[in-house]
Amino acid sequence: MRWWGWGEDGHAVPLPPAAERMLRDELGVDSAARRPPVGLEQVSVRDSRLPPVVRERLAAAVGAEHVRDGREDRIAHAVGRSYPDLVRIRSGDASSAPDAVVLPASAEQVAALLAVCAEQRVAVTPFGGGTSVVGGVEPLRDGMTAAISLDLRRLDTTVGVDRTSLTARLDAGLFGPEAERRLGAEGVTLGHFPQSFEYSTVGGWVATRSAGQASTGYGRIDELVEGLRCITPVGELATRALPASAAGPSLRELIVGSEGVLGVICEATVRVRPAPSARRYEGWSFRSFAEGCAALRVMEQSDGAADVCRLSDEDETRLAMALTSTGSRSERRGRRYLRLRGHERGCLAITGFEGDEEDVERRRRHTSALLRAGGGISLGRRPGEAWLHSRYAGPYLRDELLDRGVMVETLETATTWVNLESLHDAVTSALRGALGQRGTPPLVMCHVSHLYPSGASLYFTFLARQEDDGLAQWRAAKTAASEAIVAGGGTITHHHAVGRDHRPWIRAEVGQLGIELIRAAKERLDPAGIMNPGKLLP
């Protein structure tokens, strides 16, 4: 990816006039102003502090060409892609850059590297695609001699598919598109499509308990993992790839979501499905967010949920319409139709079905009946196909907004159905209050995107005019929203993980004894404390 943002050069997402008007009228953003990132030559990087003797030993383990301490390599691994990460790197601050980037090609090389780093007190931060939005891949030294970024992109060889058992053994360094391409060649799919899909890896998904956009149908990554191979500083911790076991507490569950603080996930065996021969995505409208949530609950609890189920609240629907507005006659007719049906300020929902033709049609008919009974109006296939086409566009759009001096950040949670609306309102109010007090009133948007019989997730996006001190502004908003989530009975993170940003609230999630239990596992597996210091544990 670009060192200062998302994707590669030439992938800009321009803002249509309707969206520019929203920024100007609601946030006070000057559409002519620009805050581009500094040039690469202006980025400040500290000299590498990796001792020469350690560099030589690392090179002996992986090959000299795979130990990289050049300026550009280090900048590219300095931060992830959270809002504070981007604010810092765009301003030229790469002070967190690792002292070297090391690229092993096997689990055995990973073991050799960790042995050297543990002996020499060198911090190790596993790095997949670098897409963490919670500070999970920033190399912190935490009192160590030096810090390296352990880039796993060379662990990308194995894709072993068992068509009979419908499982696949995948190397951790495989990026999403390549994993799906190679699975597709065997006639199967993992079905895991997070918004970061283009630039995230199998190992990163497992390490952070990722949820894909189709997780309502396919399952979260923690539901899909059957076996793991994790290299720790004291040895290999592996779990057998079995459909189920009653042999004590699950070590698999200990590794999934461990965020690199226990060891390096090198391989995962996952459940796959036959690749779909048919896909159908549709749009629906509901009069209100509350009405839509009630309809989704009935649908999920009636075993009628689509593979993709998303419901935007009123403000997110407004922005979505502004971003896709063409001003065409058919668009005006559609809006007039919704106004006559009492849906003028309604909420957009997207449903998506994948499978064979007969299965897709059967499930679609069942779901449609439930949604209509809940007050929904079918909008046909065009909104669903438009969403499918732009499903990975959000991070690109964020770069455009940052260029215009807009603070744009996301956060997510999950809670029970009975608590969903009150938590939505509490977080929205907390963000409006925290940023409004600073003189930068925000546009706060939310959607439901992952359904369970007992509840659902809430995914918030908020925009505000960026202050000169963007990090202080972000901290105020993040703290207010996180406190509201904890007080309101939500999880501090549904699928972004803990990283650095959520550490202050992890104790409220698992309790003090839970913290001590995780810490005990870390002390046993990583006695020198080299693995991804400063993450997950308070």
Side-chain angles (χ1 to χ4, degrees), residues 15 17 65 92 128 155 185 246 265 312 334 380 414 480 485:
L15 289 179
E65 70 274 25
L155 271 71
I265 296 170
S312 296
I485 286 171

Side-chain angles (χ1 to χ4, degrees), residues 270-477:
V270 294
R271 298 170 185 165
V272 295
R273 295 187 187 185
S277 58
R279 290 183 172 88
R280 178 149 178 163
Y281 284 75
E282 301 175 331
W284 290 80
S285 176
F286 291 91
R287 293 181 182 85
S288 67
F289 190 60
E291 181 182 69
C293 286
L296 293 190
R297 178 186 62 79
V298 171
M299 179 183 67
E300 170 67 18
Q301 293 177 347
S302 300
D303 197 27
D307 297 309
V308 171
C309 301
R310 295 170 68 90
L311 171 70
S312 296
D313 68 6
E314 290 83 353
D315 281 326
E316 185 169 279
T317 299
R318 278 199 308 123
L319 181 62
M321 294 177 71
L323 288 171
T324 58
S325 176
T326 63
S328 67
R329 180 178 299 178
S330 62
E331 181 181 300
R332 293 195 300 272
R333 283 201 303 264
R335 293 193 181 195
R336 185 163 56 249
Y337 170 75
L338 290 175
R339 184 168 60 250
L340 292 173
R341 298 289 299 272
H343 286 239
E344 182 177 11
R345 295 180 177 84
C347 295
L348 174 67
I350 300 294
T351 58
F353 302 87
E354 301 191 356
D356 62 47
E357 292 279 0
E358 182 178 347
D359 175 64
V360 165
E361 183 59 21
R362 176 185 58 79
R363 294 165 59 212
R364 188 192 70 81
R365 288 179 179 275
H366 178 50
T367 296
S368 297
L370 294 171
L371 294 180
R372 285 194 182 93
I377 294 177
S378 174
L379 303 178
R381 301 180 70 160
R382 182 175 294 179
E385 295 296 332
W387 176 84
L388 185 62
H389 177 73
S390 62
R391 66 192 301 182
Y392 305 127
Y396 299 97
L397 179 60
R398 179 178 58 174
D399 286 346
E400 175 69 18
L401 292 171
L402 284 168
D403 281 350
R404 293 167 180 263
V406 177
M407 173 191 188
V408 52
E409 175 66 307
T410 62
L411 56 88
E412 36 72 57
T413 182
T415 191
T416 57
W417 287 111
V418 73
N419 196 40
L420 201 67
E421 290 176 55
S422 62
L423 185 59
H424 168 270
D425 295 344
V427 176
T428 300
S429 296
L431 287 167
R432 287 174 177 166
L435 291 171
Q437 290 174 5
R438 304 178 70 89
T440 56
L443 173 61
V444 182
M445 302 164 288
C446 182
H447 65 254
V448 171
S449 55
H450 307 274
L451 309 186
Y452 307 92
S454 60
S457 70
L458 292 170
Y459 191 100
F460 292 87
T461 302
F462 55 97
L463 312 177
R465 178 171 48 82
Q466 190 182 67
E467 294 179 6
D468 290 336
D469 189 346
L471 294 180
Q473 182 188 28
W474 172 82
R475 276 191 292 271

